[in-house]
Amino acid sequence: MSPAEQPQPHRTADVRRPTLNAVAARAGVGRGTVSRVINGSPKVSARSRAAVEQAIAELGYVPNRAARSLATRRTDAVALVVPDAGTRLFSEPYFSGIIRGVSTGLAGAGMQLLLVLTGDEKEHGRLAAYLAAHRVDGVLMMAVHGDDTLPDRLEELAVPTVLAGRRSDRERLGHVRADNRGGARLAVRHLLAGGRRSIGTITGPLDMDVARARLEGYREALREAGVAVADDLVAAGDFTEEGGRLAMRELLRRHPELDAVFAASDVMASGAVLELRAAGRRVPHDVALIGFDDSIVARHIDPPLTSVRQPLEEMGRTMASLLLEEIAHCGTGRREVVLPTELVVRASA
Amino acid sequence: MSPAEQPQPHRTADVRRPTLNAVAARAGVGRGTVSRVINGSPKVSARSRAAVEQAIAELGYVPNRAARSLATRRTDAVALVVPDAGTRLFSEPYFSGIIRGVSTGLAGAGMQLLLVLTGDEKEHGRLAAYLAAHRVDGVLMMAVHGDDTLPDRLEELAVPTVLAGRRSDRERLGHVRADNRGGARLAVRHLLAGGRRSIGTITGPLDMDVARARLEGYREALREAGVAVADDLVAAGDFTEEGGRLAMRELLRRHPELDAVFAASDVMASGAVLELRAAGRRVPHDVALIGFDDSIVARHIDPPLTSVRQPLEEMGRTMASLLLEEIAHCGTGRREVVLPTELVVRASA
DNA sequence: ATGCCGCGTGGGAGCGGTCCCACAGGGCGA
DNA sequence: TCGCCCTGTGGGACCGCTCCCACGCGGCAT
């Protein structure tokens, strides 16, 4: 029995996969032609193309990514950078929704998604170098802080970058965000339509653009209804439950007659509910409450929370397509996209 | 002015990064030696090593991953496959916790994490081929269903694989899971210690190993306390809120005197709460309730839910190290690891 | 018939690493 | 003194793809 006839050990992973060369040989054409077919070049005759496609199918050929990447100096991969310091972020529907959109948006283009969790913003120096060195074609960043320097570094290194949300209203990088201002306006209009007149708001940290935009929307809605905008109806929170609680307490102290609150996040609203309950106010009977994000807590707190929903999956898809565009056109056309928000009415208002 | 002196356009990304060759030249050694230093080979003299290290530092050299991958036939990347059909999965702390653990576990080994969301189990055929073709060094799978064929395919293709949770008690693939049985036991013991005697349980789908294990733990705890285990105190849920609600209704119908319930997930427990409230039972006064997962809803429903917590981050880290081991030792030593659970006591029991 | 154009095409030369073979040179025993 | 081994070392030959140059060949105008 010749060695060739011996049964091979069962180690399929070590079996050499067919190469482009093998396809060329089988199709009876040159390597160049196969490459052209794979990359969709128009300069291939119909018969060569057919022969190549058949050979590919017969051999089950799949291009080797590393080899292509080495030759083209592209990686066909983008990194999704998720700051994960506060454990909470990742588990929000915000993230899962956006990630899902990103994933579908990239899959269509044959791009791989590299997940990079970064605990500490201090590593962002190394991180930028890392990303540049490993030549990801682009970077998507979630939850960027106003003072985060990673985006700037990436810009210097000319790495195409798209952010989820902007750092400020002077953001130079491409980004996608929800219409925070419009969403807040919807919420407050709803409260006004319900006959509420003494409407407070619990804001996020005002060094964050989202927080400012939502506050802005609150003010606009009041203004357009001809209701006076009192500064002491605004209490600053920090997007945490405890912060929402404290802000609510402060609002009640300043305005015991308060009959509605717009909280800039569901989590803060859930804190507010606790405080309202402790103060003996019923929701929504005494005080109507609206949150923002339509997160998982909104559906589960008592009473279920009316909230502003963002089109998360679409935001993710849009981020993906903006990035692909930026990669293709090499930095031109970095744009911003604002997607509409929607009010989800539940029992709390 | 010669062309060379003209200011370059600002496109840092196109600047050729230093190669291994450049390092060798600068250090005055051969390419082989540089390669050895980078890969930590012991057969390098101290002076060569020092020279190379200095050259690397001076040039800011970082190895090109694609080139290495092409030469070694490894990718230094693993895929994390997340079935995302039910939008809920990703947003559970379960996922974020495990992903964080996986991320830290892999980062230490210089492995990249490829995120692959798969909506439809029907694509798993293509997916296996895809993963094999792109030569990820290994695969991590979350939330595997008992009938999922992807793990088997990967095993056939000899792709190192580690699962989060097992498909059945005859799982052949390496996996990491929490001590579900022990956790359930803890929960039911706590109910017994609180003086409850008529304790029902809402199970998950019994074709899933977690659901069976948690039911088993429930039974064990009753048995060890000498309490009779009645089959009609067991109601099947499906890990959804609505399922929990219906199961609760059924339990109340069968056993109006019920004074405690162990639900095999927080989400089902949150459904049970709604049903209990509708039936006029107070939690925990009339009926004590314990959930499983210590998920985000546990903290936010009313009353806050006593629940069983799994060491998610450690599970993730363990998955990473199991996988790295399997990759290194080429398939040997696929093991299972069971990590302890913990009862988090809140107001509901 | 002759030149020219242009489409398809084959294949050489990289891309930047790793692997491994061959070989230099110093220390040692015979 | 001569061979021997053994440690470090340099560099050729790939890995599998893309890029691009050069060339064959048919159709068209001259």
Side-chain angles (χ1 to χ4, degrees):
Chain A
M1 188 193 252
S2 80
E5 285 169 323
Q6 285 175 15
Q8 295 217 345
H10 181 65
R11 295 208 303 167
T12 317
D14 278 7
V15 164
R16 288 283 232 275
R17 299 194 60 89
T19 70
L20 179 140
N21 247 318
V23 174
R26 174 154 200 138
V29 301
R31 288 173 6 253
T33 301
V34 177
S35 179
R36 270 168 228 128
V37 169
I38 289 168
N39 295 296
S41 158
K43 329 195 88 189
V44 179
S45 70
R47 32 179 299 114
S48 308
R49 166 164 286 122
V52 168
E53 276 164 356
Q54 191 185 339
I56 286 177
E58 286 169 5
L59 295 173
Y61 169 75
V62 182
N64 178 316
R65 226 163 174 126
R68 169 180 291 171
S69 172
L70 183 57
T72 57
R73 313 169 150 284
R74 287 179 295 106
T75 55
D76 289 331
V78 310
L80 177 68
V81 177
V82 180
D84 195 38
T87 164
R88 69 196 181 291
L89 286 173
F90 211 106
S91 56
E92 281 295 306
Y94 180 73
F95 277 68
S96 60
I98 290 192
I99 289 180
R100 184 173 316 112
V102 164
S103 171
T104 57
L106 291 178
M111 284 266 177
Q112 300 200 311
L113 182 58
L114 246 56
L115 187 61
V116 180
L117 300 195
T118 135
D120 194 345
E121 254 175 53
K122 283 156 206 148
E123 353 172 307
H124 281 190
R126 284 192 308 141
L127 187 55
Y130 172 91
L131 292 171
H134 290 303
R135 309 198 90 79
V136 288
D137 295 339
V139 173
L140 296 168
M141 279 198 70
M142 308 280 287
V144 211
H145 276 268
D147 55 351
D148 197 333
T149 57
L150 181 53
D152 297 320
R153 291 239 178 75
L154 291 172
E155 197 180 10
E156 279 170 30
L157 293 166
V159 177
T161 304
V162 170
L163 311 178
R166 60 184 180 178
R167 288 170 294 174
S168 77
D169 53 7
R170 292 170 21 226
E171 183 62 70
R172 292 182 320 278
L173 264 50
H175 69 275
V176 176
R177 62 180 204 275
D179 182 8
N180 291 300
R181 186 157 23 133
R185 222 160 36 206
L186 285 178
V188 177
R189 277 186 198 149
H190 181 75
L191 293 171
L192 288 163
R196 313 287 172 160
R197 280 303 171 268
S198 182
I199 304 177
T201 186
I202 300 176
T203 73
L206 290 176
D207 59 340
M208 291 178 68
D209 182 75
V210 270
R212 284 198 302 272
R214 289 171 193 178
L215 174 57
E216 197 54 39
Y218 159 83
R219 288 195 170 126
E220 278 179 24
L222 291 182
R223 225 176 286 138
E224 76 187 11
V227 176
V229 183
D231 270 358
D232 59 355
L233 276 168
V234 176
D238 55 1
F239 282 147
T240 70
E241 185 173 350
E242 185 57 18
R245 186 169 193 151
L246 294 176
M248 189 67 241
R249 182 176 303 170
E250 182 61 21
L251 285 178
L252 285 176
R253 194 183 60 73
R254 291 191 212 148
H255 286 272
E257 87 291 355
L258 199 78
D259 61 9
V261 171
F262 164 61
S265 86
D266 287 350
V267 174
M268 292 197 298
S270 76
V273 167
L274 297 179
E275 189 61 28
L276 287 167
R277 192 177 297 151
R281 313 292 176 103
R282 290 161 301 172
V283 178
H285 189 271
D286 301 322
V287 177
L289 183 61
I290 298 187
F292 208 110
D293 288 342
D294 190 33
S295 70
I296 201 161
V297 300
R299 283 192 294 284
H300 286 282
I301 64 175
D302 180 39
L305 191 66
T306 295
S307 188
V308 180
R309 177 188 295 161
Q310 318 179 38
L312 297 173
E313 197 157 340
E314 191 182 349
M315 287 166 72
R317 278 199 307 273
T318 309
M319 286 176 69
S321 63
L322 279 194
L323 186 62
L324 291 175
E325 211 171 296
E326 211 166 288
I327 290 170
H329 301 80
C330 197
T332 62
R334 51 186 55 168
R335 301 182 288 136
E336 63 178 285
V337 174
V338 181
L339 295 171
T341 47
E342 172 194 2
L343 188 68
V344 180
V345 178
R346 296 202 181 82
S348 74
Chain B
M1 189 192 250
S2 80
E5 286 170 322
Q6 285 175 16
Q8 295 216 346
H10 182 65
R11 297 207 302 167
T12 318
D14 279 7
V15 164
R16 288 285 229 276
R17 298 193 59 90
T19 70
L20 179 140
N21 248 318
V23 174
R26 174 155 199 137
V29 300
R31 291 180 357 261
T33 300
V34 177
S35 180
R36 270 169 229 127
V37 169
I38 290 167
N39 295 296
S41 158
K43 333 193 85 188
V44 180
S45 68
R47 32 177 300 116
S48 308
R49 165 164 288 123
V52 169
E53 276 165 355
Q54 189 184 341
I56 287 177
E58 285 169 7
L59 294 173
Y61 168 76
V62 182
N64 179 317
R65 224 161 176 127
R68 169 181 290 173
S69 172
L70 183 57
T72 58
R73 312 167 153 286
R74 286 180 295 108
T75 54
D76 288 331
V78 310
L80 178 68
V81 177
V82 181
D84 195 39
T87 162
R88 70 195 178 291
L89 285 175
F90 211 106
S91 55
E92 282 295 307
Y94 180 73
F95 276 69
S96 60
I98 290 193
I99 289 180
R100 184 171 318 114
V102 164
S103 171
T104 55
L106 291 178
M111 285 265 176
Q112 300 200 310
L113 182 57
L114 246 56
L115 187 61
V116 180
L117 300 195
T118 137
D120 194 344
E121 254 175 54
K122 284 156 206 146
E123 351 172 308
H124 281 190
R126 282 194 307 140
L127 187 53
Y130 172 91
L131 292 172
H134 290 303
R135 309 198 90 78
V136 288
D137 295 338
V139 174
L140 296 167
M141 279 198 70
M142 307 282 287
V144 210
H145 275 267
D147 56 349
D148 197 333
T149 57
L150 181 53
D152 296 322
R153 291 240 178 73
L154 292 172
E155 197 180 9
E156 279 169 33
L157 294 167
V159 177
T161 304
V162 170
L163 313 178
R166 59 183 182 180
R167 289 170 294 174
S168 76
D169 53 7
R170 291 169 24 224
E171 182 63 71
R172 290 183 320 280
L173 265 50
H175 69 275
V176 175
R177 62 179 203 276
D179 181 8
N180 291 299
R181 187 160 18 134
R185 223 158 37 206
L186 285 179
V188 177
R189 275 185 198 149
H190 181 75
L191 293 172
L192 288 163
R196 314 286 172 160
R197 279 304 171 268
S198 182
I199 304 177
T201 186
I202 301 175
T203 74
L206 289 177
D207 59 339
M208 291 177 68
D209 181 75
V210 271
R212 284 198 303 274
R214 290 172 192 177
L215 174 57
E216 197 54 40
Y218 159 84
R219 288 194 169 126
E220 278 179 23
L222 291 182
R223 225 176 287 138
E224 74 186 13
V227 177
V229 183
D231 270 359
D232 58 355
L233 276 168
V234 176
D238 55 0
F239 282 147
T240 70
E241 183 173 352
E242 184 59 15
R245 185 168 193 152
L246 294 175
M248 190 67 242
R249 182 176 302 171
E250 183 60 21
L251 284 178
L252 285 176
R253 194 183 60 72
R254 293 190 211 148
H255 286 272
E257 86 291 357
L258 198 79
D259 61 9
V261 171
F262 164 60
S265 85
D266 288 349
V267 175
M268 293 196 299
S270 76
V273 167
L274 298 178
E275 189 61 28
L276 286 168
R277 192 177 294 152
R281 312 292 175 104
R282 289 160 301 172
V283 177
H285 189 272
D286 301 324
V287 178
L289 183 62
I290 298 188
F292 208 109
D293 288 343
D294 189 32
S295 71
I296 200 161
V297 300
R299 284 192 294 283
H300 286 284
I301 64 175
D302 181 40
L305 190 66
T306 296
S307 188
V308 180
R309 177 188 296 163
Q310 318 178 38
L312 298 172
E313 197 158 340
E314 191 182 349
M315 288 167 71
R317 277 198 309 271
T318 309
M319 287 177 69
S321 61
L322 278 194
L323 186 62
L324 291 175
E325 211 171 299
E326 213 166 289
I327 290 170
H329 301 78
C330 198
T332 63
R334 52 185 55 169
R335 301 183 288 134
E336 62 178 285
V337 174
V338 181
L339 295 171
T341 46
E342 170 194 4
L343 188 68
V344 180
V345 178
R346 297 203 181 82
S348 75

